[in-house]
Amino acid sequence: AQTVTQSQPEMSVQEAETVTLSCTYDTSENNYYLFWYKQPPSRQMILVIRQEAYKQQNATENRFSVNFQKAAKSFSLKISDSQLGDTAMYFCAFMGHQGAQKLVFGQGTRLTINP
Amino acid sequence: DAGITQSPRHKVTETGTPVTLRCHQTENHRYMYWYRQDPGHGLRLIHYSYGVKDTDKGEVSDGYSVSRSKTEDFLLTLESATSSQTSVYFCAISEGLATYEQYFGPGTRLTVT
């Protein structure tokens, strides 16, 4: 079974700083997908960024980028120029390539951006 | 935003009572999922559906049952609620196509006293 581990329960940075959230996973599959979801205080789950394992290029979405290291099974999220609205829980998630597209989530990292 | 609603949004119930949570979608997506969120565990899959009347168990299915009689509705039932089922429950949907993206509902906070 796949597992996803986020080793940083909480992080705190100043506004405009860059912050990196860590995620490692374990799988025997070769093709899969990795995601970062954001959950603000409103509780809504929001997809931040997606990475296909077969793509060597790291995904980027505006201020959000990932460092995908397939051999190390590592998938970190970098937030540049952090903003107060980035304050949220962040979840790393794994999805296998086949079957019913089930997500396996990490425990989450609570990120606080301070003014 | 994907058209997903959950009802009720909040519920307090007593141990031993049956509870049904409803997820309704207007997107005509094939896949529907129920997750529970607990501190320190992230979200964990309870049950999922890959079509009308087609369902399967997830990671934490004990004590839960589901039904999907229509494409748009996916029901989660706690036959006899226990305090360990106090949680926030999320429904999600997916087209099942190449985007592999799941869209989440707003969540239901359930408290079992």
Side-chain angles (χ1 to χ4, degrees):
Chain A
Q2 291 84 7
T3 58
V4 177
T5 302
Q6 295 178 247
S7 58
Q8 304 152 311
E10 296 188 18
M11 297 187 71
S12 178
V13 298
Q14 297 299 118
E15 191 176 9
E17 289 184 346
T18 294
V19 60
T20 299
L21 280 58
S22 300
C23 173
T24 58
Y25 58 94
D26 187 27
T27 183
S28 58
E29 297 184 36
N30 188 49
N31 293 325
Y32 49 87
Y33 301 84
L34 296 164
F35 304 84
W36 279 98
Y37 279 88
K38 168 185 177 180
Q39 186 182 44
S42 67
R43 209 166 64 193
Q44 182 66 47
M45 293 290 288
I46 302 166
L47 179 64
V48 174
I49 200 165
R50 179 181 66 237
Q51 175 78 42
E52 290 88 347
Y54 62 88
K55 291 186 177 180
Q56 292 185 341
Q57 186 173 7
N58 289 324
T60 62
E61 288 288 344
N62 300 314
R63 297 183 295 107
F64 298 87
S65 61
V66 299
N67 183 5
F68 172 49
Q69 301 290 328
K70 190 173 183 180
K73 296 181 181 176
S74 171
F75 182 60
S76 61
L77 175 69
K78 185 172 80 172
I79 305 174
S80 302
D81 186 26
S82 57
Q83 301 174 359
L84 297 179
D86 295 333
T87 293
M89 282 289 289
Y90 286 81
F91 293 98
C92 178
F94 172 99
M95 178 188 289
H97 179 67
Q98 297 180 348
Q101 302 182 345
K102 297 174 285 185
L103 284 169
V104 177
F105 286 87
Q107 305 91 325
T109 295
R110 183 175 301 279
L111 175 65
T112 301
I113 310 298
N114 299 306
Chain B
D1 290 346
I4 314 169
T5 57
Q6 292 184 231
S7 58
R9 294 292 312 278
H10 300 89
K11 186 172 182 65
V12 179
T13 191
E14 293 184 348
T15 298
T17 60
V19 176
T20 295
L21 308 183
R22 180 184 185 231
C23 177
H24 179 78
Q25 62 148 327
T26 57
E27 306 295 325
N28 200 36
H29 283 1
R30 176 185 178 189
Y31 292 96
M32 299 186 75
Y33 310 82
W34 277 108
Y35 295 90
R36 60 178 288 174
Q37 182 179 11
D38 304 291
H41 290 280
L43 279 75
R44 292 178 291 175
L45 183 65
I46 305 170
H47 280 281
Y48 64 97
S49 170
Y50 46 96
V52 173
K53 297 186 180 179
D54 292 324
T55 64
D56 205 349
K57 296 179 179 180
E59 178 187 357
V60 290
S61 60
D62 288 349
Y64 302 94
S65 62
V66 291
S67 65
R68 191 173 180 195
S69 59
K70 299 184 291 185
T71 298
E72 57 266 35
D73 288 328
F74 192 34
L75 304 180
L76 177 70
T77 297
L78 292 64
E79 300 290 347
S80 177
T82 67
S83 59
S84 65
Q85 293 175 313
T86 292
S87 188
V88 178
Y89 291 85
F90 284 94
C91 174
I93 64 174
S94 173
E95 287 182 289
L97 299 177
T99 62
Y100 292 93
E101 181 170 349
Q102 289 189 14
Y103 303 92
F104 285 80
T108 294
R109 181 175 294 279
L110 175 67
T111 302
V112 183
T113 61

